Amino acid sequence: DDALCPAYPGPIVATAGRITGRPPAMARGVVIIELGVPAETEREALWLRALRPAPAALARWAGERYAVTPGVIAQAGASAMARAAARAGDDAVTTADVHAGLRGVLDAKLATLGTRIAWRQGWDELVLPDDAAAEIREFIARIKHRRQVYEHWGFGRKVAKGMGLSALFAGPPGTGKTMVAGIIADELGLDLYQIDLSKVVSKWVGETEKNLGELFDAAEAGHAILLFDEADALFAKRTQVQTSNDRYANLEVNYLLQRMEAFAGIVILTTNHETAIDEAFRRRLSLKVDFPVPEADERARLWRALLPAEAEVAADIDVDALARRFEMTGGYI
């Protein structure tokens, strides 16, 4: 402060983002006031103000669902009101308007590192072994009811970290791993962002960690699912340090481990090489599902499911013969 304002006797106020390094030190002393995300009841009041004259139930829903700051609420609320006003005949704000408004605010952060994808297929087109399908439905149920468990039943006070949910889908290409991620997002009414690793990983020291931090923060606030395809490229096993590159690569993996534990959202990893993923990541997974190459009867079901009912199909097509003759995954079918 001696260099900036040596003779100024009054108070000095400065704002900053998250302080990750050494706190600022000045000769006159510093008082640090941390402004975090408001509590749920405060968020409800902010949404009620931003969406006026929307019903209180909508503000309560938004306050429970989205852990965002007052500035984001104000921007998302204005966007939701504008969407509703643009509709002819019905200008009542809906949950879809609120979600789209929030997406517009947070998409700027998520879209720079990933792509929001929508999936048209549903459970009818999915062909998996019964045990794998049951595990996926249980994973969806855990997400739907975790608020009841952590907050209403009080288990959140007993669990210091790891309240997020993560899944690993392992199997050959074309077995439906990304498709299942899309079905989960659709079932939960959440956005699915496929992360572009080429944009996340940087050659500059510390830049990869910065990108990942922004990605996880935006996804957690916006209630989005992060999908890391070919996750073994980012979550690879740590190696013995022989060069500076090895040291920095291990630092990135260590940062990911810490960030995954603190993340309260949903992460889905897919890989064709499960053994390449660091063991520490696999221990922290909520769910691991193997996607095998389908058997002949499953391939026949895939052929039938993927032929639209409206299509004119020749009577002599034998899908059972196709299934026996061609040992292919669902993606190739």
Side-chain angles (χ1 to χ4, degrees):
D1 60 338
D2 292 335
L4 291 174
C5 43
Y8 181 64
I12 299 172
V13 178
T15 64
R18 181 180 298 174
I19 299 175
T20 56
R22 185 172 62 89
M26 301 177 76
R28 66 174 67 185
V30 178
V31 176
I32 299 177
I33 302 174
E34 295 187 9
L35 300 175
V37 176
E40 185 179 307
T41 54
E42 296 169 336
R43 295 198 302 268
E44 181 182 337
L46 289 165
W47 279 111
L48 192 62
R49 183 192 306 169
L51 299 173
R52 187 174 290 131
L58 180 61
R60 189 179 309 114
W61 174 85
E64 291 176 353
R65 187 178 177 90
Y66 303 116
V68 289
T69 57
V72 173
I73 290 175
Q75 295 177 53
S79 177
M81 295 287 285
R83 279 176 56 91
R87 283 197 298 269
D90 180 18
D91 59 352
V93 183
T94 64
T95 56
D97 294 327
V98 174
H99 188 76
L102 190 71
R103 177 196 293 158
V105 177
L106 297 175
D107 200 51
K109 294 181 180 179
L110 289 167
T112 55
L113 300 173
T115 304
R116 181 164 52 87
I117 58 175
W119 211 264
R120 296 179 180 274
Q121 284 80 4
W123 289 104
D124 293 338
E125 289 82 13
L126 181 64
V127 176
L128 279 178
D130 291 340
D131 56 344
E135 287 179 323
I136 292 165
R137 291 188 182 276
E138 181 182 340
F139 183 69
I140 293 172
R142 287 183 64 178
I143 298 170
K144 285 183 176 179
H145 301 293
R146 63 178 179 166
R147 177 179 171 78
Q148 173 77 23
V149 174
Y150 285 136
E151 296 186 19
H152 296 169
W153 290 354
F155 278 93
R157 298 192 307 272
K158 304 293 183 180
V159 181
K161 55 185 178 180
M163 289 192 286
L165 291 167
S166 55
L168 174 66
F169 297 159
T175 48
K177 302 184 294 295
T178 305
M179 176 182 172
V180 169
I183 291 174
I184 291 173
D186 187 62
E187 182 96 359
L188 296 169
L190 302 177
D191 291 327
L192 177 67
Y193 283 85
Q194 189 172 29
I195 305 308
D196 187 345
L197 296 183
S198 67
K199 295 179 181 178
V200 172
V201 179
S202 172
K203 65 179 180 180
W204 305 109
V205 176
E207 194 69 20
T208 300
E209 290 86 343
K210 177 184 174 183
N211 291 337
L212 286 168
E214 292 179 354
L215 186 67
F216 280 111
D217 286 344
E220 194 169 65
H223 224 53
I225 298 177
L226 298 181
L227 172 64
F228 290 91
D229 263 334
E230 310 299 334
D232 44 281
L234 187 60
F235 296 79
K237 289 181 178 178
R238 285 163 288 187
T239 58
Q240 185 177 358
V241 176
Q242 296 179 343
T243 67
S244 59
N245 289 335
D246 296 335
R247 182 180 298 109
Y248 293 130
N250 288 349
L251 285 174
E252 290 175 1
V253 174
N254 291 336
Y255 175 82
L256 263 174
L257 283 168
Q258 296 171 6
R259 201 62 183 82
M260 286 271 287
E261 280 194 329
F263 185 55
I266 306 159
V267 179
I268 296 176
L269 318 176
T270 71
T271 181
N272 304 330
H273 308 286
E274 182 193 347
T275 55
I277 292 182
D278 195 286
E279 181 62 29
F281 283 114
R282 288 192 276 177
R283 285 202 310 270
R284 287 164 172 79
L285 292 169
S286 310
L287 171 71
K288 176 186 168 298
V289 180
D290 290 315
F291 285 69
V293 174
E295 300 292 338
D297 61 327
E298 294 171 329
R299 293 196 294 271
R301 286 166 54 197
L302 281 166
W303 279 107
R304 292 188 179 94
L306 292 170
L307 289 172
E310 299 84 359
E312 296 184 8
V313 181
D316 60 348
I317 292 181
D318 187 348
V319 294
D320 292 312
L322 287 172
R324 289 192 299 270
R325 181 178 179 185
F326 300 105
E327 189 174 337
M328 300 189 298
T329 60
Y332 291 108
I333 292 174

